[in-house]
């Protein structure tokens, strides 16, 4: 991933790309629960988890997951928590994963990033805790 031409976080082996959206009522407890779910989710080859395989995770904040398209032609992101609320919770997910023993790379919160993905599957899962 590059931010202004600089590579910030990358994984070059099978693992998970995790886009984390934070809403207004999310908590540190929810962040820890999400980390545990991600670490143990058995969706890698051979029905293994990142924990089983020692696979890395790339965690990127993504407020646009809370886009509301119900009205008009322009998305509203009013359900997304503002940066001062969201950033510590995204950091809490990363910290909880690392406490579990995960190798975690990250993006840069609030940055305009270019993210590349090779999706082996395809498989995309939404986890809403």
């Amino acid at each position: 991933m590059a931010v202004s031409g600089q590579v910030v976080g990358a994984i070059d082996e099978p693992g998970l790309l995790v886009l984390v959206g934070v809403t207004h009522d999310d908590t540190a407890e929810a962040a820890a629960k999400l980390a545990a779910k991600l670490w143990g989710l058995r969706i890698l080859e051979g029905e293994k988890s990142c924990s089983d395989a020692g696979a890395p995770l790339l965690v990127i904040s993504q407020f646009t997951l809370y886009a509301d398209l119900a009205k008009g032609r322009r998305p509203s992101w009013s359900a997304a928590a503002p940066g001062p609320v969201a950033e510590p919770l995204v950091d809490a997910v990363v910290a909880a994963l690392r406490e579990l023993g995960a190798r975690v790379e990250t993006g840069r919160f609030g940055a305009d990033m270019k993210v590349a993905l090779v999706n082996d599957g395809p498989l995309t899962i939404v986890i809403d805790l």
Side-chain angles (χ1 to χ4, degrees), residues 84-101:
V85 173
E87 186 173 11
L89 291 174
V90 173
D91 290 346
V93 171
V94 171
L97 281 164
R98 287 179 175 151
E99 286 176 15
L100 291 168

Side-chain angles (χ1 to χ4, degrees), residues 10-58:
I11 58 176
D12 59 1
E13 61 187 285
L16 297 182
L17 169 60
V18 180
L19 304 175
V20 178
V22 178
T23 192
H24 301 283
D25 60 354
D26 284 333
T27 64
E29 292 78 22
K33 187 175 178 180
L34 176 61
K37 176 69 85 173
L38 293 166
W39 187 230
L41 196 61
R42 296 175 56 162
I43 59 172
L44 298 177
E45 188 169 337
E47 294 188 13
K48 292 187 178 183
S49 66
C50 286
S51 173
D52 296 331
L57 299 95
L58 174 58

